[in-house]
Amino acid sequence: MKLTRLITFRSLNTRRLRSFLTIFGIVLGVAGMYSINAANESAYLSITRLFEGTSGSVSLEVKSSATGGVIPLSYLDSISEIEGVEVATPVIKMPAVISGEEVGGIDLNFFGTGAGGFMVYGVDIVRDREIRDYRLTEGSFLQPNKLNKEIVLVEDYALENDIKVGDTLAVVTSYGPIDLQVSGFIAKEGPGLINFGKIGFMNIEEVQFIAKRENEADQIDIAVLGVKENQNAIKDTKERIEQVLEEGDVVLYPDNQGDRMTSMLGGYQIGLNFMAGIALFVGAFLIYNAFSMTIVERTREIGLLRSIGMSSLQVVWQVIVEGLLSGIAGGILGVLLGIVLSRGLAGFMSGFLGYDIDFSNIPINILIASSLLGVVVALLASVLPAIKAGRISPLEALRIRGMADEGFLTKYGWLFGIGLLVVSTWILILNPFPYDVQFRLGSFTVFALFLGATLIIPVTIKFWQLISRYPIKIIFSKLGEFGIRNIERAKKRTMLTCASIMIGVSMIVVIQGITGAFTKDLYDWMDSYIGGDIFVSAAVPMEGTLKDKLEAVEGVSVAAPMRYIDIKWVKEDGMEEKLSYLAVDVDSYSDITGFVFNDSKDDTKEVINSLADEQSIFISSVISEKYGLLKGDSMAIQTLDGVKDFKIASVILDFYNQGLVVTGNWQDLNKYFSITDANTFLVKVDSGAEIDEVISSINTDYKEEYQLITESNSDLKARAINLMNQAFSMFDVLGLIAVSIAALGVMNTLFMNVSERTREIAMLRSIGMARFQVIKIILAEAMFLGIIGGILGIGFGLVLTRIILLSMGAMSGYALDFVFPVNAVWIGIVIAIVMSQVAALLPALKAARTPMLDAIRYE
C-alpha cells in the first residue's frame, strides 16, 4: 500500500503539466457549479427573508379586489371579534419624496422602470406593534393618540441622507409638502425592510388627515391565533372573515411579490445550471482523456510493476487514487474560485432584479456538494482508464512501446453513437420540456446527444481528412498532410478532444443564438415602450394635468401619460391571475410611438383607435400564447364596479412584468379604477429642438414641484440594452469556461502525441527537418482537431438553439422566433481554430526543441 501511494505521488509529480491541466479542468467546472448554485440560494434566501420579514406575524390581508379600491375602517371591529383573529390592524400607504434628496435616475430592472422613492406607512401604533417587531435603535417610537406630525425612519436610510433624530423633515407628497419631526430610528429588519428600507412610519390618523382619507385604509393586516398548533387555522379564519365583507373586498395571503422574483430567478438559473453542467461534463472528458494518455504512456512502467508482484487490483486502485487526489484538489480550488465568481454574479442578479442580494454567507451545503461533485466526476472519469490499466499483463506490457490500444469504443462505439443521436434527437424534438423537472431530464438528453456525436467521430476520420486536407495544405503546405494523418494513430484521443471542442463551440453558438432571438423583439419593444425623446417619471404619482404643463414647455411637441397598476384577471375556472395593466392616452401615445403587433395586419390606425373603445384592451403575446387567448376574445377583470369583461382588440409584444401585462385606455382607468394620476410621461420634442435643452427647461419649471426624474430615451434605451447584456454575460462566462477546458484538452492531447512520437520526430530532425517544420506539423494536427470540433459544434449548437427556444417558449408562454446566428457560426469556427492553434504552441515548441540525441535514446 505504501509503495502504491509513493508511485501515485511520483506519477502526479513527474507529469506536472498534465496534472495541472487535469486539475484545472475540474476547477473550472466546479467553480461554475458552485457560483451559480450559491448565488441562487443566496438570492432566494434574501428575497424570502425580505418578504417574510416585512409581513411579520401577518397571516391574512383584507384588501379591495380592484386597484384603486379602499377598505372602510368600519371593518375593524367586526373582524376583530371573529373567532381566530388575534390582531387586526389597518395600514394606509402614501408615496412621498424627502425634499432635497437626490432621487437619482430612473430605476431599470427586469420588472420594468420606476422612480423608486420614499414611502410613508400610516399604522395603528398599538395594534401594529403586536404584529410587527420594530427594533428601535435611537430616539423614541411613535406614541398613541399624539398627533404632532412625528415620523420614524429606518436608520440606514436616515444615515445615507444625513438625517438625525430631532430633525425637521420636509416631505413632498401628491397632496402637497408637509414638515415632519423625526422622533426615532428603527433597524433595517422586519418592517424596516418594507420598500427596501425607504420607508417612514406615522400615526395612521395623521396620514389619513394629510391624504384626506378619513375612516378608510389601503388594507387591514390580520394575525391569526393558533397557527402553530393548527395548520388549518388560517384557512378557517379566512373563510369566517370573508362572510362579513361586502362584495368587492377580499381576504388574501400576504403579497406574493417574492414568489414573482424567485420565479423569474429560477428560470434564469435553469439556463445557467445547464451551461455549468456542460462545462463540468467537458471537464470530465478532459480527465478521462488525460488518464487514458497516462496509461498508454506508462504501459511499460505498469508492466514492470505487474512483473514484480503488483496485482491487477492494486494497479486499478493506483489510477483511481490519482483520480481521487486530482478531484480533491480540483474541488477545493474550484469552490475557492467559485466564491469569487459568485460575488460577480451577485452584481448581475442585483442589477436585473432591482434588489441588493446578500451574498455575505457562504452556503456550506453547496460548498460541500460542489466539492464532492468534482471528486465524483474525477473518479468516474478515471474508472475506465484504471480498468484498462489493470488488464495489462506483464508480458504484453514489456512488449509494448507506447502504442495505443483503441479498444471496443473506437471500433464499434459508432453503432451505439448513432442510436444515441437518433433517440436523443427524437426526444428533444417531440418534448420541449415545459416543466423544470422535465427540463433537467432534457439536459441529460442533451448530454446523450453530445455523447452520440462523440462516439461516431473515430469512424468519420477519413471524411474529415477529405474535407480538411485542402485548407490545411494551403496553410501548412505538404507538411499539413503529415499532421492530419498522425491523428489516426490515436482515434480515441482524437474523439475525446474533438468532443471537448464541439461542446465548447456549441455553447458559444447556443448563447449567441438565444441572445439574437431576444434582441430583435426586445429592441422593437423598447422602441415603443421607451418611445419619443424624453422619459419623465417621479417618486410620487403625477397629476394628469401635468400633461398640459409639459406640452406648454418650449420645444415639447406632445406629452403622453402612462399609468401601471396591478389588476386581477378572473379566469373561467374561477382562479385569479395577477397582471399589470398599462393605461395610455391613445391619441397622444399614438402621436409619439406605437405598438409592436403580433399580426402585421393589425398595424393599422383602425386597430389602434379601437383601443380607445370602452372596456377594450391589447394583451401581450406572452398571455396570448400561454393561455390561448386571441383577438376578439375577452378577459374578465376585477374593477371597482365588480368583474367586467374587457374585449381583446389585438395581441402586441410587451416584455414588462415578464409579459404578464395588458394595455388599456386612460378613460377606463379613470372610470373603473378611480385613478387619475400618471407615473410616467413620454415626451416628444419639436423637430430641431435640442433634447438636453428641453430636459433642462422641464426641470427648471416643474422638477421641484413634482419631484420629477427626467432622462433622455436614448440614455434609457442604452441602459436597458446594457441590462440585457449583463443578464447574458454569465452565459458568456460559462461558454468561455467550456472553451478554456477544451483548449486544455487540445494541449493535453498534443503533449501526449509529441511524447509518443519523440523518437520519430528526432529521426525526422536528423535527416534534415527544420524546427519550424516540426512546429507546422503539430499546428496542422491541432487545426484538424479544431475543424472537426468546430464544425460539429456549430451544427449541434444550431440544433440545440432551436430546441432551447422551444423549451423556453413552453415554460414562459412566449415563443421566440429562431434567427439564424450568422455571427455565431463565424465566431464558433474562428474560436475553434484559434483556440486549437494557441493550445498547440507549447506542445509544438516542446517537439521542436527536443535534442536529437536525447530523442534517439528515448524509450
Side-chain angles (χ1 to χ4, degrees), residues 544-562:
T545 56
L546 182 60
K547 169 181 165 60
D548 297 331
K549 295 180 180 180
L550 289 173
E551 290 179 341
V553 174
E554 184 178 356
V556 172
S557 174
V558 183
M562 299 168 56

Side-chain angles (χ1 to χ4, degrees), residues 569 619 623-631 633-635 648 651:
W569 165 36
I619 65 170
I623 294 175
S624 174
E625 291 165 17
K626 189 172 184 178
Y627 298 104
L629 294 175
L630 301 172
K631 177 181 178 181
D633 292 340
S634 63
M635 294 183 72
I648 299 173
V651 178

